[in-house]
Amino acid sequence: MKTLVVGSGAREHAIAAKLETDPEVTEVHAAPGNPGIPESRRHDVAADDVRGLVALAEELGFGPDDLVVIGPEAPLVAGVADRLREAGLSVFGPSKEAARIEGSKAFAKDVMAEAGVLTAHSEGLTAGSSERDISDVLDRFGPRFVVKDDGLAGGKGVVVTEDRQAAREHIEAVLGSGSPVLVESFLAGPELSLFLLVDGETVVPLLPAQDHKRAYDNDEGPNTGGMGAYAPLPWLPDGAVERIVEEVARPVAKELNRRGAPFSGLLYAGLAWGEEGPAVIEFNARFGDPETQAILSLLKTPLGGLLHAVATGRLAEQPPLKWEDGSAVTVVLAAEGYPGRPAKGRPIIGLPEDTDEAYVLHAGTSLDEEGRLVSSGGRVLSAVGRGRDLGEARGRAYRALEPIELQGSFYRRDIGDKAAGIDLS
Ligand code: AMP
Ligand code: GLY
């Protein structure tokens, strides 16, 4: 089986690296990929260049027995999976219609309401809303305000605040940028990410993980795309994953099917584990970053065959997934200025040798004219550590980051600490 991974982040590097270990997979290509992937396997085609992707798959001799995996949300929401399927390719990733579960928060709310899935109460505001409308909506929420950009914002469009004025300012800023706004009730409880392989109404959960969305230690600073993650979750009660499958994922998969938009690919449920159990914060229509880097490092089942089974409607026939014992931790090294304006073009030196216990995945990196590795994005690298438990995995991830030098870069020092019982105070 030949494979093509579409996208350029650490998530795509993790998927490509895992596909390499599948004995059924003969070739792993990436479009455009990043310098962590061998240059001979990288193709200079953008993730949203449908024609370029179809031409590339043809050039590489792809047929239905091969596999295209789409990493990021933007091409999915734009319908790239549909177009590749029309060209006769087997694609891991949902249709444009099904990807609306991520592309429009209002659509996701509607699906959840129909499916009876617990989520935050929300109200919408649009460009036509008056100052008075905004005040009226704010009156109905609080003391903690959750204000969201109702479009794709890379995890950075959400402000959670007790400051009514800050909430109003974010509403005005998002409306001013041309996007509608959702104001939501605050969901209490620890957050988790559960990734589910979904093929119509067949649902198979991966290991639960937790992302760390804020930029700085102790969950301070602005929201980011994710600064680190660990899997599995020692604090999650027994039976929790099964409850999420039954109460959240299956009803949503059924509802999408009923609407004529069956989901095929990875459904990412971002949840708050509250006193009454799981409540949905958001859905994504693809693997999450940085959770994927941790989760896939523990997957024993060959990835290519598994994703190909989803892509071709055969998930129900697959044997149960196999996982390594132990834990995995991802720590993201970010560029100075992230998540605002990351500094780019700075040299990166000191990358350690990869081992089975710890390795570094690339994301916002590129090669300059002299072939030196330089930074080119906000989240630059992801270190992954594996171990018998969370403490060991975390120690290995941090040791892999220690020798790396990138001027102005930073990473959180507390990924997984609360769960590992490490007291920061
Ligand atoms: P989202 O882009 O919807 O995942 O939101 C980003 C982050 O904002 C989430 O991971 C949560 O930490 C926080 N958040 C979003 N919505 C809520 C909510 N209704 N209640 C509490 N926290 C939320
Ligand atoms: N880890 C958050 C995301 O992938 O959206």
Side-chain angles (χ1 to χ4, degrees):
M1 183 195 313
K2 290 187 277 235
T3 61
L4 170 64
V5 181
V6 176
S8 63
R11 162 184 55 205
E12 286 78 15
H13 188 187
I15 293 169
K18 198 72 192 182
L19 287 171
E20 289 282 1
T21 66
D22 182 338
E24 258 193 88
V25 171
T26 52
E27 292 173 23
V28 182
H29 297 271
N34 65 43
I37 296 166
E39 197 176 355
S40 59
R41 298 297 196 193
R42 279 189 270 137
H43 305 273
D44 192 14
V45 178
D48 59 356
D49 176 1
V50 179
R51 279 202 208 157
L53 292 171
V54 171
L56 175 62
E58 254 170 40
E59 192 184 305
L60 296 169
F62 271 52
D65 293 340
D66 303 310
L67 173 71
V68 180
V69 183
I70 301 182
E73 60 274 22
L76 293 167
V77 171
V80 169
D82 308 71
R83 304 276 299 279
L84 297 179
R85 279 194 194 98
E86 283 159 23
L89 299 165
S90 297
V91 182
F92 183 83
S95 67
K96 179 177 180 166
E97 272 300 304
R100 289 178 72 204
I101 197 82
E102 169 162 9
S104 164
K105 292 188 195 289
F107 174 81
K109 289 283 180 197
D110 199 45
V111 168
M112 284 189 271
E114 277 300 317
V117 170
L118 192 63
T119 184
H121 166 67
S122 73
E123 290 190 41
L125 289 163
T126 58
S129 305
S130 64
E131 295 245 324
R132 182 61 196 269
D133 295 333
I134 297 176
S135 296
D136 287 350
V137 168
L138 288 173
D139 285 346
R140 290 192 285 275
F141 290 88
R144 274 176 140 165
F145 302 94
V146 179
V147 178
K148 297 190 176 186
D149 182 336
D150 185 24
L152 293 179
K156 292 169 257 174
V158 179
V159 164
V160 181
T161 179
E162 288 180 28
D163 178 345
R164 187 181 159 113
Q165 186 53 28
R168 176 180 275 279
E169 280 164 18
H170 190 56
I171 292 173
E172 286 166 356
V174 174
L175 292 179
S177 75
S179 270
V181 164
L182 280 186
V183 181
E184 282 198 357
S185 56
F186 179 79
L187 295 172
E191 280 182 45
L192 72 136
S193 306
L194 188 64
F195 294 180
L196 305 122
L197 296 171
V198 177
D199 168 15
E201 296 192 11
T202 305
V203 174
V204 174
L206 306 188
L207 289 182
Q210 189 178 54
D211 187 6
H212 293 54
K213 291 231 163 88
R214 300 289 190 131
Y216 315 129
D217 287 4
N218 273 320
D219 293 328
E220 284 169 18
N223 264 312
T224 70
M227 294 297 292
Y230 63 96
L233 306 178
W235 51 267
L236 197 64
D238 285 345
V241 167
E242 290 73 16
R243 267 191 76 184
I244 297 166
V245 169
E246 293 311 325
E247 294 175 26
V248 175
R250 250 191 248 290
V252 164
K254 268 196 163 144
E255 174 60 18
L256 287 171
N257 224 3
R258 193 188 67 77
R259 292 178 179 224
F263 195 95
S264 167
L266 190 127
L267 180 68
Y268 167 136
L271 305 141
W273 190 264
E275 274 168 19
E276 289 160 36
V280 173
I281 293 176
E282 63 159 351
F283 285 116
N284 295 317
R286 36 94 193 154
F287 281 102
D289 186 340
E291 297 97 314
T292 298
Q293 294 90 300
I295 292 170
L296 288 188
S297 79
L298 297 172
L299 180 69
K300 275 206 214 157
T301 303
L303 185 64
L306 183 62
L307 301 187
H308 192 265
V310 176
T312 52
R314 296 178 294 108
L315 178 60
E317 300 159 23
Q318 301 307 301
L321 299 185
K322 289 200 184 130
W323 298 97
E324 306 276 358
D325 293 333
S327 294
V329 173
T330 316
V331 183
V332 171
L333 179 127
E336 182 174 352
Y338 180 74
R341 277 171 193 240
K344 296 183 182 167
R346 295 186 178 166
I348 304 166
I349 54 173
L351 285 187
E353 286 289 319
D354 290 344
T355 69
D356 202 38
E357 293 171 352
Y359 49 93
V360 177
L361 298 166
H362 290 234
T365 67
S366 55
L367 299 173
D368 70 6
E369 278 157 18
E370 277 102 59
R372 286 174 310 201
L373 193 67
V374 296
S375 60
S376 60
R379 292 190 290 178
V380 182
L381 299 165
S382 270
V384 181
R386 301 197 305 173
R388 276 165 302 183
D389 55 31
L390 197 48
E392 190 174 59
R394 141 186 211 297
R396 289 173 173 169
Y398 279 109
R399 266 197 298 286
L401 282 176
E402 263 163 32
I404 301 174
E405 288 177 41
L406 166 61
Q407 190 204 329
S409 65
F410 67 98
Y411 52 85
R412 280 183 59 161
R413 311 273 164 171
D414 63 345
I415 304 300
D417 284 2
K418 267 192 209 149
I422 296 165
D423 191 355
L424 275 176
S425 51

